[in-house]
Amino acid sequence: MLRKLSLLVLFLVAVTINTAPATFAQENNATVHGTFYDLWTFAPLENIVIEVYSNSALRMQTISVDGTYSLSLSPGSYTIVGKHYRGSFLASDAQENVILQSHDNITLDLIMFPTFEENELPENYDNTIAEEWGEAGTAWWPILGAALALALVGVVVAFYYLKILSKKKLGMKKVEGAPSVKVVGLPDDLREVMDAITESGGRINQVELRQKLPYSEAKVSLMVADLENRGLVRKIKKGRGNIIILKE
C-alpha cells in the first residue's frame, strides 16, 4: 500500500514538472487581434485564410469567417498574412509584421489589396478604354506644345516691356524735394534751366533764375517761354516779376 502511494506521488510530481513550462508559456502569451478590410468598400472581408509565420516558417493557419481574428502567440517576431480566395483564384491578400512581448494586447487591422497579375486577368477584361485614353493623350501633345510656345512668347514680351520701362525711368531726373520732370531730349541750355529750377525746389523767381545762368535776360525769357510751351513749367506773374514753377 505504501509503495502504491509513493508511485502515485512520483507520477503527480512528474506530471506537474512536464506541464509547468507549457502553463508558464501560455500565461506569458501576447494577443494580437483585428479585422481584414476590403480595399474598395472598407467593409470587413469574409472567409479569410490566416497564416502566421515566424522566421519564414509557417507556425499557424486558420480561417476567419467574418473577417475578424484574435491570435494568442508567445513573445517573438511574426508575419501575419491574410488571403481571400474566389474559388481557387487568389483575389486579394495582405500581410503585416509584428513584434510581440509578454502580455501584449495589440490591434492590427489589415487592408486586402487585389492580386491581379497580367496573366491572371479575367478573360472578358477589355482594355479598349485604356488604349483610347492613350491615343487621346497623344493627340493632346500638339496643343500642349502650342500652349508652351505662347507662354514663352508672353515671357519674352513681358521681359522687353519691363526693360524698356526701366530705361524710361532712368531717363527721369529726380531731385529730393522737387517734382519729377522729364528732361529727355531737351537741348543743353533748356536742361540747364530745368536743373536750376529743380535745385531751387521746383519754384524760383525769374530774376534769380537769370542770376544762376550764364545767359542774358532776353535769352532766359525765351527759354522760359519755350519750356512753358513744352508744358514743363508754369509762369505766374507776381508784382513786376515772374515766378517759374515746375509742372508735375
Side-chain angles (χ1 to χ4, degrees):
M1 182 66 180
L2 182 60
R3 184 178 179 182
K4 290 182 179 181
L5 183 60
S6 299
L7 291 174
L8 179 60
V9 171
L10 290 174
F11 174 76
L12 292 175
V13 170
V15 170
T16 302
I17 293 174
N18 289 332
T19 58
T23 304
F24 177 78
Q26 291 178 358
E27 289 178 353
N28 286 274
N29 274 5
T31 300
V32 56
H33 56 89
T35 305
F36 292 91
Y37 290 100
D38 181 76
L39 173 64
W40 309 115
T41 64
F42 289 101
L45 199 57
E46 299 178 347
N47 300 322
I48 303 297
V49 177
I50 302 173
E51 297 175 347
V52 180
Y53 292 86
S54 178
N55 297 325
S56 301
L58 180 63
R59 302 297 183 184
M60 180 186 298
Q61 188 175 45
T62 184
I63 296 178
S64 171
V65 177
D66 60 358
T68 63
Y69 73 97
S70 179
L71 304 173
S72 179
L73 302 170
S74 59
S77 178
Y78 298 92
T79 299
I80 298 177
V81 179
K83 298 179 180 180
H84 177 66
Y85 289 88
R86 292 178 183 171
S88 60
F89 173 72
L90 178 61
S92 59
D93 66 355
Q95 73 174 40
E96 287 289 345
N97 297 323
V98 61
I99 298 176
L100 300 177
Q101 298 179 358
S102 298
H103 308 296
D104 277 349
N105 187 0
I106 296 177
T107 300
L108 183 64
D109 296 327
L110 293 90
I111 297 178
M112 305 293 289
F113 285 86
T115 57
F116 284 114
E117 296 181 1
E118 187 175 355
N119 59 352
E120 294 178 334
L121 292 175
E123 295 180 358
N124 60 350
Y125 176 76
D126 186 6
N127 63 348
T128 304
I129 297 177
E131 293 176 354
E132 290 177 353
W133 272 103
E135 294 175 358
T138 304
W140 275 95
W141 276 110
I143 299 176
L144 180 60
L148 291 175
L150 289 175
L152 181 60
V153 171
V155 171
V156 173
V157 171
F159 172 77
Y160 279 103
Y161 174 77
L162 292 175
K163 189 174 181 180
I164 294 172
L165 186 62
S166 63
K167 287 183 178 180
K168 288 184 177 180
K169 288 184 177 180
L170 290 175
M172 300 287 294
K173 187 171 183 179
K174 296 183 179 181
V175 177
E176 186 176 356
S180 299
V181 180
K182 293 182 179 180
V183 294
V184 178
L186 287 177
D188 292 340
D189 54 353
L190 294 182
R191 190 185 297 273
E192 290 180 23
V193 176
M194 293 293 294
D195 291 343
I197 300 173
T198 302
E199 290 173 359
S200 299
R203 176 190 296 262
I204 191 172
N205 184 286
Q206 187 166 337
V207 176
E208 295 176 357
L209 177 62
R210 187 183 64 80
Q211 293 174 353
K212 289 178 174 287
L213 300 172
Y215 304 111
S216 65
E217 183 176 352
K219 173 70 172 177
V220 171
S221 297
L222 290 174
M223 290 190 293
V224 169
D226 191 355
L227 291 174
E228 190 174 15
N229 291 333
R230 293 173 183 262
L232 298 177
V233 300
R234 182 176 57 174
K235 184 169 62 175
I236 300 176
K237 185 72 174 177
K238 186 175 181 181
R240 299 178 62 182
N242 297 318
I243 303 296
I244 313 301
I245 302 174
L246 290 179
K247 284 188 176 181
E248 296 184 1

